[in-house]
Amino acid sequence: MQEPGLNEVDPKLAALIRAEETREADKLRLIASENYVSRAVLEATGSVLTNKYSEGYPEKRYYEGQQIIDQVELLAIERLKALFGADHVNVQPYSGSPANLAVYLAFCAAGDPVVGLALPAGGHLTHGWNVSITGKYFQSRGYGVRKDDHRIDFDEVRAIVREHKPKILWCGTTAYPRVLEFAKFREIADEVGAILCADIAHIAGLVAGGVHPSPIGIADVVTSTTHKTLRGPRGGIIMCKAEHAKAIDRAVFPGLQGGPHNHTTAGIAVAAKEAQSPDFKQYAANIVANAKALAEALLGQGFNLITGGTDNHLVLVDLTPKQIGGKPAAQALDRAGIVCNYNSIPFDPRKPFDPSGIRMGTAALTSRGMGPAEMQRLAGFMNRVVQAPDDGALLDRIAAEVKEMCSAFPAPGLPRA
Ligand SMILES: *Cc1c(COP(=O)(O)O)cnc(C)c1O
């Protein structure tokens, strides 16, 4: 007799998964950190590799039975080394935040000075923001963007670094639509002997696809998530120069974590293989082309964009000219089948829980094969929504149009209707 599956064992949970599949199929998913993984990545991630404990590193484990797991981890490492051109890769961090914590543990003692991009300017919590452990356990200072053009203020970066003398200088962003100039950060880090860590969580797929400059060879350490533009399972990686390999590996295990999530490592290996293909280069280029098309279309509909456009996968919209806050706009858009998040804009006069902006990224729509024509339609939908955010009937009509549009672009990994 066959063992009962999820439908039989837990129909309630099975139904929730089916419902999420429907949501992901029928909506325009614009959260800049999200994507659709392939069916192959899903299969690897949902495999028996979740059953195995493997504390340590390949050929240096603390439990027996690693004949297969060592090969899985080495495959992921070798593929990522080839993909990014890195000396050393650690694939064990549970996600992006633990990857960053491991970097602190590798190079800092509690109370040491660190510098990163401030959260309101588009930085990540783990770059030393005060509510994060990284802001509580380290002496953190944040730099920002310029008032006039909202680009990173390298004069401020230099001034703060000279004064604060950080052990680690972070560069990397969650809501910055422009190219990161890693060499400028390198120069500044070198003035005080700081470790330069580039966190490419959002843009890893663009770097892998060759449409954003790579920090490899410039930064001492590069951290990333694997589930954003890179299109892998939820996870984290750390890449570094050979001289830092030991410190990084020791920080991840035994410093911070126990056993690695081998099913995730397997999914990362598959994603890295996919990312080596010529198709992925095209995919990365299409993400950026779509973001630029969306930016143009939004400007055409009277939206204001931070920095006036984009070089990468995301656009940060300032809703001020539309006379609506980020939160009510995001909620109305969600009802209309357009899923994004409210987001602070630089120097935001409004409060963080209802800021002036929304953030959108094109990685997921591009995974469905959508192109500039769909970006144009999307901008039109958005303009209708923000003009009448309380008109439930209108929002439902737009949601139906969105669903119709989505049905022509089946998403990777989802069952086909
Ligand atoms: C998403 C992100 C992270 C954190 O990743 P989690 O997997 O959510 O912990 C870290 N840094 C940057 C820049 C990010 O965008």
PDB file of all heavy atoms in Angstrom, residues 150 298-299 301-309 315-326 329 343-350 355-360 382 386:
ATOM      1  N   HIS A 150      19.595  61.415  -4.626  1.00  0.00           N
ATOM      2  CA  HIS A 150      19.309  60.128  -3.976  1.00  0.00           C
ATOM      3  C   HIS A 150      20.280  59.012  -4.376  1.00  0.00           C
ATOM      4  O   HIS A 150      19.956  57.834  -4.268  1.00  0.00           O
ATOM      5  CB  HIS A 150      17.853  59.705  -4.225  1.00  0.00           C
ATOM      6  CG  HIS A 150      16.862  60.642  -3.596  1.00  0.00           C
ATOM      7  ND1 HIS A 150      15.577  60.788  -4.056  1.00  0.00           N
ATOM      8  CD2 HIS A 150      16.980  61.512  -2.559  1.00  0.00           C
ATOM      9  CE1 HIS A 150      14.934  61.689  -3.328  1.00  0.00           C
ATOM     10  NE2 HIS A 150      15.770  62.139  -2.413  1.00  0.00           N
ATOM     11  N   LEU A 298       5.651  54.111 -15.803  1.00  0.00           N
ATOM     12  CA  LEU A 298       5.143  54.777 -14.590  1.00  0.00           C
ATOM     13  C   LEU A 298       5.345  56.286 -14.680  1.00  0.00           C
ATOM     14  O   LEU A 298       4.461  57.059 -14.291  1.00  0.00           O
ATOM     15  CB  LEU A 298       5.842  54.210 -13.348  1.00  0.00           C
ATOM     16  CG  LEU A 298       5.404  52.804 -12.924  1.00  0.00           C
ATOM     17  CD1 LEU A 298       6.333  52.248 -11.848  1.00  0.00           C
ATOM     18  CD2 LEU A 298       3.960  52.806 -12.419  1.00  0.00           C
ATOM     19  N   LEU A 299       6.506  56.689 -15.200  1.00  0.00           N
ATOM     20  CA  LEU A 299       6.731  58.131 -15.381  1.00  0.00           C
ATOM     21  C   LEU A 299       5.660  58.696 -16.315  1.00  0.00           C
ATOM     22  O   LEU A 299       5.114  59.784 -16.078  1.00  0.00           O
ATOM     23  CB  LEU A 299       8.133  58.397 -15.950  1.00  0.00           C
ATOM     24  CG  LEU A 299       9.313  58.122 -15.006  1.00  0.00           C
ATOM     25  CD1 LEU A 299      10.642  58.185 -15.762  1.00  0.00           C
ATOM     26  CD2 LEU A 299       9.316  59.110 -13.829  1.00  0.00           C
ATOM     27  N   GLN A 301       2.701  57.752 -16.553  1.00  0.00           N
ATOM     28  CA  GLN A 301       1.407  57.829 -15.847  1.00  0.00           C
ATOM     29  C   GLN A 301       1.461  58.839 -14.701  1.00  0.00           C
ATOM     30  O   GLN A 301       0.556  58.873 -13.864  1.00  0.00           O
ATOM     31  CB  GLN A 301       1.038  56.449 -15.273  1.00  0.00           C
ATOM     32  CG  GLN A 301       0.850  55.359 -16.303  1.00  0.00           C
ATOM     33  CD  GLN A 301      -0.505  55.425 -17.007  1.00  0.00           C
ATOM     34  OE1 GLN A 301      -1.340  56.272 -16.693  1.00  0.00           O
ATOM     35  NE2 GLN A 301      -0.711  54.546 -17.970  1.00  0.00           N
ATOM     36  N   GLY A 302       2.540  59.626 -14.644  1.00  0.00           N
ATOM     37  CA  GLY A 302       2.607  60.685 -13.638  1.00  0.00           C
ATOM     38  C   GLY A 302       3.149  60.257 -12.288  1.00  0.00           C
ATOM     39  O   GLY A 302       3.042  60.993 -11.305  1.00  0.00           O
ATOM     40  N   PHE A 303       3.739  59.062 -12.209  1.00  0.00           N
ATOM     41  CA  PHE A 303       4.366  58.653 -10.947  1.00  0.00           C
ATOM     42  C   PHE A 303       5.749  59.298 -10.854  1.00  0.00           C
ATOM     43  O   PHE A 303       6.385  59.597 -11.865  1.00  0.00           O
ATOM     44  CB  PHE A 303       4.521  57.129 -10.892  1.00  0.00           C
ATOM     45  CG  PHE A 303       3.234  56.388 -10.647  1.00  0.00           C
ATOM     46  CD1 PHE A 303       2.436  55.980 -11.717  1.00  0.00           C
ATOM     47  CD2 PHE A 303       2.816  56.099  -9.357  1.00  0.00           C
ATOM     48  CE1 PHE A 303       1.248  55.287 -11.503  1.00  0.00           C
ATOM     49  CE2 PHE A 303       1.624  55.406  -9.133  1.00  0.00           C
ATOM     50  CZ  PHE A 303       0.841  55.004 -10.210  1.00  0.00           C
ATOM     51  N   ASN A 304       6.199  59.473  -9.614  1.00  0.00           N
ATOM     52  CA  ASN A 304       7.536  59.994  -9.375  1.00  0.00           C
ATOM     53  C   ASN A 304       8.430  58.825  -8.951  1.00  0.00           C
ATOM     54  O   ASN A 304       8.025  58.010  -8.134  1.00  0.00           O
ATOM     55  CB  ASN A 304       7.468  61.054  -8.260  1.00  0.00           C
ATOM     56  CG  ASN A 304       8.773  61.789  -8.098  1.00  0.00           C
ATOM     57  OD1 ASN A 304       9.559  61.874  -9.044  1.00  0.00           O
ATOM     58  ND2 ASN A 304       9.025  62.288  -6.896  1.00  0.00           N
ATOM     59  N   LEU A 305       9.618  58.726  -9.528  1.00  0.00           N
ATOM     60  CA  LEU A 305      10.516  57.621  -9.181  1.00  0.00           C
ATOM     61  C   LEU A 305      11.771  58.157  -8.488  1.00  0.00           C
ATOM     62  O   LEU A 305      12.354  59.146  -8.944  1.00  0.00           O
ATOM     63  CB  LEU A 305      10.940  56.860 -10.440  1.00  0.00           C
ATOM     64  CG  LEU A 305       9.819  56.262 -11.282  1.00  0.00           C
ATOM     65  CD1 LEU A 305      10.410  55.479 -12.450  1.00  0.00           C
ATOM     66  CD2 LEU A 305       8.912  55.368 -10.451  1.00  0.00           C
ATOM     67  N   ILE A 306      12.169  57.476  -7.429  1.00  0.00           N
ATOM     68  CA  ILE A 306      13.411  57.848  -6.746  1.00  0.00           C
ATOM     69  C   ILE A 306      14.576  57.610  -7.723  1.00  0.00           C
ATOM     70  O   ILE A 306      14.663  56.534  -8.334  1.00  0.00           O
ATOM     71  CB  ILE A 306      13.584  57.016  -5.450  1.00  0.00           C
ATOM     72  CG1 ILE A 306      12.441  57.303  -4.475  1.00  0.00           C
ATOM     73  CG2 ILE A 306      14.943  57.291  -4.801  1.00  0.00           C
ATOM     74  CD1 ILE A 306      12.280  58.754  -4.041  1.00  0.00           C
ATOM     75  N   THR A 307      15.410  58.583  -7.860  1.00  0.00           N
ATOM     76  CA  THR A 307      16.526  58.673  -8.824  1.00  0.00           C
ATOM     77  C   THR A 307      16.041  58.771 -10.274  1.00  0.00           C
ATOM     78  O   THR A 307      16.826  58.711 -11.208  1.00  0.00           O
ATOM     79  CB  THR A 307      17.557  57.503  -8.742  1.00  0.00           C
ATOM     80  OG1 THR A 307      16.994  56.327  -9.357  1.00  0.00           O
ATOM     81  CG2 THR A 307      17.995  57.201  -7.318  1.00  0.00           C
ATOM     82  N   GLY A 308      14.735  58.868 -10.473  1.00  0.00           N
ATOM     83  CA  GLY A 308      14.206  59.093 -11.824  1.00  0.00           C
ATOM     84  C   GLY A 308      14.163  57.866 -12.715  1.00  0.00           C
ATOM     85  O   GLY A 308      13.753  57.966 -13.874  1.00  0.00           O
ATOM     86  N   GLY A 309      14.575  56.707 -12.197  1.00  0.00           N
ATOM     87  CA  GLY A 309      14.546  55.511 -13.048  1.00  0.00           C
ATOM     88  C   GLY A 309      15.272  54.362 -12.373  1.00  0.00           C
ATOM     89  O   GLY A 309      15.312  54.282 -11.149  1.00  0.00           O
ATOM     90  N   VAL A 315      12.241  49.356  -8.931  1.00  0.00           N
ATOM     91  CA  VAL A 315      11.889  50.772  -8.974  1.00  0.00           C
ATOM     92  C   VAL A 315      11.303  51.133  -7.615  1.00  0.00           C
ATOM     93  O   VAL A 315      10.571  50.358  -7.006  1.00  0.00           O
ATOM     94  CB  VAL A 315      10.882  51.122 -10.096  1.00  0.00           C
ATOM     95  CG1 VAL A 315      11.515  50.961 -11.457  1.00  0.00           C
ATOM     96  CG2 VAL A 315       9.620  50.295 -10.016  1.00  0.00           C
ATOM     97  N   LEU A 316      11.694  52.311  -7.143  1.00  0.00           N
ATOM     98  CA  LEU A 316      11.181  52.829  -5.882  1.00  0.00           C
ATOM     99  C   LEU A 316      10.323  54.036  -6.238  1.00  0.00           C
ATOM    100  O   LEU A 316      10.814  55.041  -6.764  1.00  0.00           O
ATOM    101  CB  LEU A 316      12.351  53.204  -4.967  1.00  0.00           C
ATOM    102  CG  LEU A 316      12.014  53.623  -3.535  1.00  0.00           C
ATOM    103  CD1 LEU A 316      11.181  52.569  -2.807  1.00  0.00           C
ATOM    104  CD2 LEU A 316      13.302  53.898  -2.752  1.00  0.00           C
ATOM    105  N   VAL A 317       9.014  53.885  -5.992  1.00  0.00           N
ATOM    106  CA  VAL A 317       8.049  54.895  -6.428  1.00  0.00           C
ATOM    107  C   VAL A 317       7.742  55.837  -5.279  1.00  0.00           C
ATOM    108  O   VAL A 317       7.424  55.389  -4.175  1.00  0.00           O
ATOM    109  CB  VAL A 317       6.731  54.217  -6.887  1.00  0.00           C
ATOM    110  CG1 VAL A 317       5.737  55.260  -7.382  1.00  0.00           C
ATOM    111  CG2 VAL A 317       7.004  53.167  -7.952  1.00  0.00           C
ATOM    112  N   ASP A 318       7.838  57.123  -5.522  1.00  0.00           N
ATOM    113  CA  ASP A 318       7.409  58.142  -4.563  1.00  0.00           C
ATOM    114  C   ASP A 318       5.990  58.535  -4.953  1.00  0.00           C
ATOM    115  O   ASP A 318       5.759  59.111  -6.017  1.00  0.00           O
ATOM    116  CB  ASP A 318       8.364  59.339  -4.654  1.00  0.00           C
ATOM    117  CG  ASP A 318       7.850  60.530  -3.853  1.00  0.00           C
ATOM    118  OD1 ASP A 318       6.896  60.363  -3.066  1.00  0.00           O
ATOM    119  OD2 ASP A 318       8.420  61.626  -4.021  1.00  0.00           O
ATOM    120  N   LEU A 319       5.037  58.211  -4.066  1.00  0.00           N
ATOM    121  CA  LEU A 319       3.620  58.415  -4.398  1.00  0.00           C
ATOM    122  C   LEU A 319       3.125  59.824  -4.100  1.00  0.00           C
ATOM    123  O   LEU A 319       1.940  60.113  -4.308  1.00  0.00           O
ATOM    124  CB  LEU A 319       2.759  57.402  -3.627  1.00  0.00           C
ATOM    125  CG  LEU A 319       2.915  55.943  -4.058  1.00  0.00           C
ATOM    126  CD1 LEU A 319       2.309  55.022  -3.000  1.00  0.00           C
ATOM    127  CD2 LEU A 319       2.263  55.697  -5.408  1.00  0.00           C
ATOM    128  N   THR A 320       4.009  60.681  -3.598  1.00  0.00           N
ATOM    129  CA  THR A 320       3.567  62.016  -3.179  1.00  0.00           C
ATOM    130  C   THR A 320       2.708  62.729  -4.229  1.00  0.00           C
ATOM    131  O   THR A 320       1.637  63.244  -3.882  1.00  0.00           O
ATOM    132  CB  THR A 320       4.792  62.876  -2.788  1.00  0.00           C
ATOM    133  OG1 THR A 320       5.588  62.129  -1.871  1.00  0.00           O
ATOM    134  CG2 THR A 320       4.369  64.185  -2.147  1.00  0.00           C
ATOM    135  N   PRO A 321       3.121  62.740  -5.512  1.00  0.00           N
ATOM    136  CA  PRO A 321       2.281  63.445  -6.490  1.00  0.00           C
ATOM    137  C   PRO A 321       0.910  62.801  -6.682  1.00  0.00           C
ATOM    138  O   PRO A 321      -0.006  63.456  -7.186  1.00  0.00           O
ATOM    139  CB  PRO A 321       3.089  63.373  -7.800  1.00  0.00           C
ATOM    140  CG  PRO A 321       4.255  62.510  -7.560  1.00  0.00           C
ATOM    141  CD  PRO A 321       4.369  62.225  -6.101  1.00  0.00           C
ATOM    142  N   LYS A 322       0.752  61.557  -6.279  1.00  0.00           N
ATOM    143  CA  LYS A 322      -0.549  60.881  -6.414  1.00  0.00           C
ATOM    144  C   LYS A 322      -1.417  61.070  -5.169  1.00  0.00           C
ATOM    145  O   LYS A 322      -2.524  60.521  -5.095  1.00  0.00           O
ATOM    146  CB  LYS A 322      -0.338  59.389  -6.684  1.00  0.00           C
ATOM    147  CG  LYS A 322       0.397  59.081  -7.977  1.00  0.00           C
ATOM    148  CD  LYS A 322      -0.464  59.436  -9.191  1.00  0.00           C
ATOM    149  CE  LYS A 322       0.196  58.979 -10.482  1.00  0.00           C
ATOM    150  NZ  LYS A 322      -0.573  59.407 -11.668  1.00  0.00           N
ATOM    151  N   GLN A 323      -0.874  61.791  -4.184  1.00  0.00           N
ATOM    152  CA  GLN A 323      -1.621  62.111  -2.961  1.00  0.00           C
ATOM    153  C   GLN A 323      -2.201  60.882  -2.269  1.00  0.00           C
ATOM    154  O   GLN A 323      -3.373  60.844  -1.884  1.00  0.00           O
ATOM    155  CB  GLN A 323      -2.729  63.126  -3.273  1.00  0.00           C
ATOM    156  CG  GLN A 323      -2.112  64.437  -3.745  1.00  0.00           C
ATOM    157  CD  GLN A 323      -3.163  65.474  -4.081  1.00  0.00           C
ATOM    158  OE1 GLN A 323      -4.132  65.174  -4.771  1.00  0.00           O
ATOM    159  NE2 GLN A 323      -2.972  66.694  -3.611  1.00  0.00           N
ATOM    160  N   ILE A 324      -1.359  59.866  -2.136  1.00  0.00           N
ATOM    161  CA  ILE A 324      -1.762  58.661  -1.410  1.00  0.00           C
ATOM    162  C   ILE A 324      -0.519  58.128  -0.694  1.00  0.00           C
ATOM    163  O   ILE A 324       0.597  58.256  -1.206  1.00  0.00           O
ATOM    164  CB  ILE A 324      -2.364  57.598  -2.358  1.00  0.00           C
ATOM    165  CG1 ILE A 324      -2.848  56.365  -1.582  1.00  0.00           C
ATOM    166  CG2 ILE A 324      -1.359  57.185  -3.446  1.00  0.00           C
ATOM    167  CD1 ILE A 324      -3.634  55.370  -2.434  1.00  0.00           C
ATOM    168  N   GLY A 325      -0.724  57.563   0.521  1.00  0.00           N
ATOM    169  CA  GLY A 325       0.394  56.990   1.258  1.00  0.00           C
ATOM    170  C   GLY A 325       0.781  55.632   0.698  1.00  0.00           C
ATOM    171  O   GLY A 325       0.008  54.993  -0.027  1.00  0.00           O
ATOM    172  N   GLY A 326       1.965  55.176   1.076  1.00  0.00           N
ATOM    173  CA  GLY A 326       2.449  53.892   0.583  1.00  0.00           C
ATOM    174  C   GLY A 326       1.589  52.728   1.045  1.00  0.00           C
ATOM    175  O   GLY A 326       1.338  51.789   0.279  1.00  0.00           O
ATOM    176  N   ALA A 329      -1.914  52.543  -0.624  1.00  0.00           N
ATOM    177  CA  ALA A 329      -1.684  52.217  -2.040  1.00  0.00           C
ATOM    178  C   ALA A 329      -1.351  50.733  -2.188  1.00  0.00           C
ATOM    179  O   ALA A 329      -1.926  50.037  -3.036  1.00  0.00           O
ATOM    180  CB  ALA A 329      -0.549  53.070  -2.608  1.00  0.00           C
ATOM    181  N   ASN A 343       7.153  51.216   1.255  1.00  0.00           N
ATOM    182  CA  ASN A 343       8.583  51.380   1.507  1.00  0.00           C
ATOM    183  C   ASN A 343       8.893  52.851   1.764  1.00  0.00           C
ATOM    184  O   ASN A 343       8.343  53.716   1.089  1.00  0.00           O
ATOM    185  CB  ASN A 343       9.361  50.930   0.253  1.00  0.00           C
ATOM    186  CG  ASN A 343      10.716  50.327   0.577  1.00  0.00           C
ATOM    187  OD1 ASN A 343      10.855  49.101   0.568  1.00  0.00           O
ATOM    188  ND2 ASN A 343      11.694  51.151   0.869  1.00  0.00           N
ATOM    189  N   SER A 344       9.785  53.095   2.713  1.00  0.00           N
ATOM    190  CA  SER A 344      10.235  54.468   2.925  1.00  0.00           C
ATOM    191  C   SER A 344      11.043  54.927   1.721  1.00  0.00           C
ATOM    192  O   SER A 344      11.695  54.134   1.048  1.00  0.00           O
ATOM    193  CB  SER A 344      11.120  54.565   4.169  1.00  0.00           C
ATOM    194  OG  SER A 344      10.347  54.342   5.324  1.00  0.00           O
ATOM    195  N   ILE A 345      10.976  56.218   1.452  1.00  0.00           N
ATOM    196  CA  ILE A 345      11.835  56.803   0.434  1.00  0.00           C
ATOM    197  C   ILE A 345      12.889  57.631   1.166  1.00  0.00           C
ATOM    198  O   ILE A 345      12.716  57.954   2.346  1.00  0.00           O
ATOM    199  CB  ILE A 345      11.023  57.690  -0.548  1.00  0.00           C
ATOM    200  CG1 ILE A 345      10.327  58.828   0.203  1.00  0.00           C
ATOM    201  CG2 ILE A 345      10.011  56.842  -1.309  1.00  0.00           C
ATOM    202  CD1 ILE A 345       9.688  59.864  -0.709  1.00  0.00           C
ATOM    203  N   PRO A 346      14.014  57.955   0.518  1.00  0.00           N
ATOM    204  CA  PRO A 346      15.030  58.757   1.209  1.00  0.00           C
ATOM    205  C   PRO A 346      14.433  60.081   1.725  1.00  0.00           C
ATOM    206  O   PRO A 346      13.655  60.715   1.021  1.00  0.00           O
ATOM    207  CB  PRO A 346      16.073  59.007   0.113  1.00  0.00           C
ATOM    208  CG  PRO A 346      15.908  57.861  -0.832  1.00  0.00           C
ATOM    209  CD  PRO A 346      14.440  57.552  -0.829  1.00  0.00           C
ATOM    210  N   PHE A 347      14.793  60.419   2.962  1.00  0.00           N
ATOM    211  CA  PHE A 347      14.317  61.661   3.606  1.00  0.00           C
ATOM    212  C   PHE A 347      12.789  61.686   3.683  1.00  0.00           C
ATOM    213  O   PHE A 347      12.158  62.719   3.520  1.00  0.00           O
ATOM    214  CB  PHE A 347      14.846  62.900   2.874  1.00  0.00           C
ATOM    215  CG  PHE A 347      16.340  62.848   2.659  1.00  0.00           C
ATOM    216  CD1 PHE A 347      16.872  62.478   1.427  1.00  0.00           C
ATOM    217  CD2 PHE A 347      17.215  63.129   3.709  1.00  0.00           C
ATOM    218  CE1 PHE A 347      18.247  62.395   1.239  1.00  0.00           C
ATOM    219  CE2 PHE A 347      18.597  63.051   3.523  1.00  0.00           C
ATOM    220  CZ  PHE A 347      19.116  62.689   2.280  1.00  0.00           C
ATOM    221  N   ASP A 348      12.203  60.533   3.914  1.00  0.00           N
ATOM    222  CA  ASP A 348      10.738  60.425   3.904  1.00  0.00           C
ATOM    223  C   ASP A 348      10.131  61.287   5.008  1.00  0.00           C
ATOM    224  O   ASP A 348      10.478  61.129   6.179  1.00  0.00           O
ATOM    225  CB  ASP A 348      10.332  58.953   4.111  1.00  0.00           C
ATOM    226  CG  ASP A 348       8.940  58.659   3.584  1.00  0.00           C
ATOM    227  OD1 ASP A 348       8.052  59.524   3.741  1.00  0.00           O
ATOM    228  OD2 ASP A 348       8.749  57.577   3.012  1.00  0.00           O
ATOM    229  N   PRO A 349       9.207  62.180   4.664  1.00  0.00           N
ATOM    230  CA  PRO A 349       8.558  62.971   5.703  1.00  0.00           C
ATOM    231  C   PRO A 349       7.502  62.168   6.463  1.00  0.00           C
ATOM    232  O   PRO A 349       7.067  62.577   7.543  1.00  0.00           O
ATOM    233  CB  PRO A 349       7.891  64.112   4.917  1.00  0.00           C
ATOM    234  CG  PRO A 349       7.693  63.576   3.535  1.00  0.00           C
ATOM    235  CD  PRO A 349       8.784  62.548   3.305  1.00  0.00           C
ATOM    236  N   ARG A 350       7.089  61.007   5.931  1.00  0.00           N
ATOM    237  CA  ARG A 350       6.048  60.213   6.576  1.00  0.00           C
ATOM    238  C   ARG A 350       6.663  59.118   7.442  1.00  0.00           C
ATOM    239  O   ARG A 350       7.839  58.826   7.372  1.00  0.00           O
ATOM    240  CB  ARG A 350       5.120  59.601   5.520  1.00  0.00           C
ATOM    241  CG  ARG A 350       4.388  60.643   4.675  1.00  0.00           C
ATOM    242  CD  ARG A 350       3.679  59.986   3.504  1.00  0.00           C
ATOM    243  NE  ARG A 350       2.634  59.097   3.928  1.00  0.00           N
ATOM    244  CZ  ARG A 350       1.328  59.381   3.876  1.00  0.00           C
ATOM    245  NH1 ARG A 350       0.920  60.549   3.395  1.00  0.00           N
ATOM    246  NH2 ARG A 350       0.429  58.515   4.277  1.00  0.00           N
ATOM    247  N   PRO A 355       4.734  54.988   4.877  1.00  0.00           N
ATOM    248  CA  PRO A 355       5.693  55.891   4.241  1.00  0.00           C
ATOM    249  C   PRO A 355       5.164  56.417   2.898  1.00  0.00           C
ATOM    250  O   PRO A 355       4.028  56.137   2.515  1.00  0.00           O
ATOM    251  CB  PRO A 355       6.907  54.988   4.033  1.00  0.00           C
ATOM    252  CG  PRO A 355       6.324  53.633   3.814  1.00  0.00           C
ATOM    253  CD  PRO A 355       5.083  53.576   4.661  1.00  0.00           C
ATOM    254  N   SER A 356       6.013  57.118   2.184  1.00  0.00           N
ATOM    255  CA  SER A 356       5.589  57.767   0.935  1.00  0.00           C
ATOM    256  C   SER A 356       5.735  56.892  -0.297  1.00  0.00           C
ATOM    257  O   SER A 356       5.317  57.290  -1.377  1.00  0.00           O
ATOM    258  CB  SER A 356       6.428  59.029   0.700  1.00  0.00           C
ATOM    259  OG  SER A 356       6.295  59.906   1.781  1.00  0.00           O
ATOM    260  N   GLY A 357       6.358  55.726  -0.122  1.00  0.00           N
ATOM    261  CA  GLY A 357       6.702  54.978  -1.332  1.00  0.00           C
ATOM    262  C   GLY A 357       6.199  53.555  -1.385  1.00  0.00           C
ATOM    263  O   GLY A 357       5.697  52.997  -0.404  1.00  0.00           O
ATOM    264  N   ILE A 358       6.311  52.983  -2.566  1.00  0.00           N
ATOM    265  CA  ILE A 358       6.181  51.542  -2.742  1.00  0.00           C
ATOM    266  C   ILE A 358       7.397  51.069  -3.537  1.00  0.00           C
ATOM    267  O   ILE A 358       7.953  51.825  -4.336  1.00  0.00           O
ATOM    268  CB  ILE A 358       4.882  51.121  -3.473  1.00  0.00           C
ATOM    269  CG1 ILE A 358       4.699  51.893  -4.771  1.00  0.00           C
ATOM    270  CG2 ILE A 358       3.680  51.270  -2.558  1.00  0.00           C
ATOM    271  CD1 ILE A 358       3.519  51.418  -5.609  1.00  0.00           C
ATOM    272  N   ARG A 359       7.781  49.818  -3.273  1.00  0.00           N
ATOM    273  CA  ARG A 359       8.944  49.236  -3.944  1.00  0.00           C
ATOM    274  C   ARG A 359       8.465  48.098  -4.831  1.00  0.00           C
ATOM    275  O   ARG A 359       7.629  47.294  -4.413  1.00  0.00           O
ATOM    276  CB  ARG A 359       9.900  48.705  -2.878  1.00  0.00           C
ATOM    277  CG  ARG A 359      11.203  48.137  -3.406  1.00  0.00           C
ATOM    278  CD  ARG A 359      11.990  47.449  -2.309  1.00  0.00           C
ATOM    279  NE  ARG A 359      11.337  46.214  -1.879  1.00  0.00           N
ATOM    280  CZ  ARG A 359      11.958  45.197  -1.286  1.00  0.00           C
ATOM    281  NH1 ARG A 359      13.262  45.279  -1.003  1.00  0.00           N
ATOM    282  NH2 ARG A 359      11.301  44.111  -0.921  1.00  0.00           N
ATOM    283  N   MET A 360       8.982  48.049  -6.037  1.00  0.00           N
ATOM    284  CA  MET A 360       8.573  46.994  -6.957  1.00  0.00           C
ATOM    285  C   MET A 360       9.798  46.437  -7.686  1.00  0.00           C
ATOM    286  O   MET A 360      10.699  47.196  -8.048  1.00  0.00           O
ATOM    287  CB  MET A 360       7.594  47.551  -7.981  1.00  0.00           C
ATOM    288  CG  MET A 360       6.327  48.072  -7.335  1.00  0.00           C
ATOM    289  SD  MET A 360       5.093  48.495  -8.548  1.00  0.00           S
ATOM    290  CE  MET A 360       6.001  49.672  -9.460  1.00  0.00           C
ATOM    291  N   MET A 382      -1.928  50.358 -12.353  1.00  0.00           N
ATOM    292  CA  MET A 382      -1.520  51.011 -11.103  1.00  0.00           C
ATOM    293  C   MET A 382      -2.082  52.419 -11.010  1.00  0.00           C
ATOM    294  O   MET A 382      -2.513  52.868  -9.942  1.00  0.00           O
ATOM    295  CB  MET A 382       0.008  51.031 -10.994  1.00  0.00           C
ATOM    296  CG  MET A 382       0.587  49.642 -10.731  1.00  0.00           C
ATOM    297  SD  MET A 382       2.375  49.634 -10.689  1.00  0.00           S
ATOM    298  CE  MET A 382       2.677  50.735  -9.316  1.00  0.00           C
ATOM    299  N   VAL A 386      -4.439  53.794  -7.879  1.00  0.00           N
ATOM    300  CA  VAL A 386      -4.108  54.860  -6.911  1.00  0.00           C
ATOM    301  C   VAL A 386      -5.052  56.054  -7.051  1.00  0.00           C
ATOM    302  O   VAL A 386      -5.159  56.865  -6.132  1.00  0.00           O
ATOM    303  CB  VAL A 386      -2.635  55.339  -7.013  1.00  0.00           C
ATOM    304  CG1 VAL A 386      -1.680  54.190  -6.703  1.00  0.00           C
ATOM    305  CG2 VAL A 386      -2.319  55.973  -8.350  1.00  0.00           C
TER     306      VAL A 386
END
